[in-house]
Amino acid sequence: LLTSLGQKQDIPEWIINGNYDASKLHFPALAFFNMIYGQVLLVREEYHKLLGNMDYFMENASVFPNLLAQIYTHIYAAVANEKLHRRNMALAELKKALKLALPDLLLMPFVEHCERIEPLLSELCCREMQREFIASVLRLYVPYKQAISSITAEYFTRETPALTEREAEIAQLVAQGLSNKAIGQQLYISANTVKTILKHIFEKLGIGSRALLKQYIDLEPKER
């Protein structure tokens, strides 16, 4: 859900790293995991890394086979290529996705990513390729976009409380991997004081771990 909403925060570290082994999922679920991992790579704008995983994604999606995972993989490849200014390759990948989706009218994978692939869909439509299917996607995208906007406004636009100078200093040191004891020694305060301030930081930011705090610090310069 977070990735569908374009949110980078609170994504577990093991998913960000594509560490399937850290999960308790069985092998048949690997294709679904790759669908989520691919979405995370898109949200994080790691397009080259995503394209580097395409063959692996398709190999896993073809085992049982998993048609939905194959469709998403081609859509991801289309988005990544478009972002890297490879329009012809992007169109080729999107056509593969459309060909797989058309028999069962699987619209939602395209609706979900319509914001990213709308120019590609429009170009294919102008070439009179799958016009009815694409028209249905674009119609569904209108209420879908409205729903996403409402959810984002309600749950993800709250203003993050500002950290004090001391809190920000400790947050930066935590993000660097320092322990409470090491931070205390560097700032000439006790480890218990560091622990208390860190607790306040977690409460302010609505997070519950050092790993999530590191994510917040890593994203802060780019997003704020």
Side-chain angles (χ1 to χ4, degrees):
L1 178 58
L2 287 171
T3 54
S4 296
L5 295 169
Q7 303 297 318
K8 300 179 184 180
Q9 71 274 19
D10 297 337
I11 299 172
E13 194 76 25
W14 65 274
I15 295 181
I16 290 175
N17 295 327
N19 186 8
Y20 175 81
D21 294 333
S23 74
K24 295 182 179 179
L25 298 172
H26 296 293
F27 180 76
L30 180 55
F32 292 102
F33 170 79
N34 289 338
M35 288 165 57
I36 297 171
Y37 179 43
Q39 179 84 310
V40 168
L41 293 176
L42 280 185
V43 170
R44 292 171 61 84
E45 300 179 5
E46 298 184 45
Y47 304 123
H48 287 99
K49 186 174 183 179
L50 178 58
L51 290 173
N53 276 285
M54 287 298 100
D55 288 343
Y56 174 70
F57 286 0
M58 287 302 297
E59 180 181 347
N60 288 312
S62 302
V63 172
F64 287 98
N66 189 316
L67 180 64
L68 193 61
Q70 292 178 43
I71 292 170
Y72 272 99
T73 298
H74 286 306
I75 291 175
Y76 295 161
V79 173
N81 278 302
E82 176 71 357
K83 293 294 185 180
L84 295 172
H85 309 290
R86 303 168 181 169
R87 173 59 66 93
N88 289 337
M89 295 176 71
L91 290 170
E93 291 292 345
L94 193 57
K95 284 191 283 188
K96 292 176 184 177
L98 289 167
K99 183 177 180 180
L100 290 172
L102 185 62
D104 296 311
L105 297 178
L106 297 174
L107 300 169
M108 289 311 298
F110 302 89
V111 174
E112 181 181 342
H113 293 280
C114 197
E115 181 179 1
R116 299 183 177 101
I117 62 174
E118 188 171 5
L120 300 174
L121 290 171
S122 297
E123 182 167 340
L124 291 178
C125 193
C126 289
R127 296 182 185 183
E128 299 192 1
M129 296 182 181
Q130 316 294 359
R131 295 187 70 173
E132 291 186 13
F133 186 96
I134 292 173
S136 296
V137 169
L138 297 176
R139 280 195 302 271
L140 283 173
Y141 179 58
V142 175
Y144 178 86
K145 184 178 181 179
Q146 292 173 345
I148 291 296
S149 297
S150 296
I151 294 171
T152 302
E154 183 173 355
Y155 295 102
F156 295 101
T157 58
R158 61 185 184 276
E159 186 175 346
T160 302
L163 299 179
T164 65
E165 184 176 346
R166 175 62 89 186
E167 288 170 345
E169 191 175 21
I170 289 176
Q172 289 287 347
L173 293 173
V174 169
Q176 292 171 24
L178 274 66
S179 67
N180 289 353
K181 182 179 179 181
I183 293 171
Q185 290 174 342
Q186 183 165 329
L187 300 179
Y188 301 103
I189 57 179
S190 71
N192 283 335
T193 299
V194 175
K195 182 178 180 181
T196 299
I197 294 174
L198 187 56
K199 181 180 178 181
H200 292 159
I201 293 171
F202 286 168
E203 290 173 352
K204 275 189 175 183
L205 301 181
I207 58 179
S209 71
R210 301 171 87 94
L212 290 176
L213 179 57
K214 184 180 186 307
Q215 287 184 39
Y216 175 87
I217 294 299
D218 290 344
L219 290 171
E220 188 176 18
K222 190 174 182 179
E223 296 191 348
R224 286 176 166 72

